[in-house]
Amino acid sequence: MSDQPTEVIGADRTPAAAAAQRRRRPRWVRVLLWTLIPLVVVVALLVIADVIVRSVAEQRVASEIEKNLPDTVKADVSVHIGGVSVIQQYLSGSFESVELDAPHATVNGAPLSATITATGVPADFSKPVQSATGVLTVSQDSLNKLITIPGSTGDITLGEGTIGYAGKIDLLGLPVGYTVNAIPKAAGKEVLLQPGKASLTTGGGDVNLTRLLQALTDNGPFPVCAAQYLPDGVKVSDIQVTPKAATVTLTASDFVLDEKFLHSKGSCS
């Protein structure tokens, strides 16, 4: 038997060489990394730039709106621009959606909250907005400061799905005071009040409530002009009432969101 030591395969490689070989990557991996790393950096920079542009654009929109509000309206407006890329939307000339939120606004000193969602908002404010939907939430106290029902003689009261008010009517030649609970219905420029329950407050003698209610409903629902309180072209599309507040949904389309529009008032004539 030979006394010569057995040769070990690979014994001539140093530990450093072995480690270097393990670290060596295939060429396609290196090419892939050289391509992906700059691409990731570019994407990250674009995302950061978009975030900055979005913030600047939102602040600009909020500032323009607050600047153009009528003197009777006070609000801190927050703005959120929807969509994936604000830069891309700006370059296309319009934003997909813009949400305005003013939870602590006041109108003639009466507090209310407002949320408006607009679509097709142009980057150039001198061009028309495609459409917008707004939701106002108004308490009973604020409603009485802002709205007057023609012919009513007292405050408006809110119920579950109803609006209550007092008034006077000539019935069989006699002046009759009454209170009525009416169901409100949105009708574009108007809110229609359909009396559902009435009671006498003064006069009337032997006039019964059925005759009173018939007299109040003979001409159909009682119209209240809402347009006179809103910018020209804004319509009431829905109204929901609870004892705590009235929630009114408004819509508008093809309007320029500028000082002229915000200061305008509609009419029912």
Side-chain angles (χ1 to χ4, degrees), residues 200-243:
L200 295 173
T201 56
T202 60
D206 61 352
V207 174
N208 61 43
L209 297 181
T210 301
R211 181 167 292 178
L212 171 62
L213 192 57
Q214 182 179 356
L216 293 174
T217 57
D218 269 348
N219 295 322
F222 182 72
V224 177
C225 182
Q228 62 184 313
Y229 303 105
L230 302 169
D232 191 22
V234 177
K235 297 180 179 180
V236 182
S237 62
D238 187 55
I239 180 167
Q240 300 293 326
V241 180
T242 69

Side-chain angles (χ1 to χ4, degrees), residues 29 31 34 37 39 43 56 83 86 90 105 110 113 117 140 149 153 177 184 197 225 244 248 250 254:
V29 173
V31 172
W34 292 340
I37 290 175
L39 182 61
V43 170
V56 171
V86 169
Y90 179 80
S113 68
T117 301
Q140 179 176 290
I149 296 178
T153 57
K197 183 179 179 180
C225 182
K244 292 184 177 180
V248 183
L250 309 172
D254 197 28

Side-chain angles (χ1 to χ4, degrees), residues 2 38 47 56-57 65 87 122-123 139 143 146 156 167 191 198 210 266:
S2 174
V47 170
V56 171
I65 291 174
I87 294 176
S139 69
L143 198 64
L146 298 172
I156 298 169
V191 172
T210 301

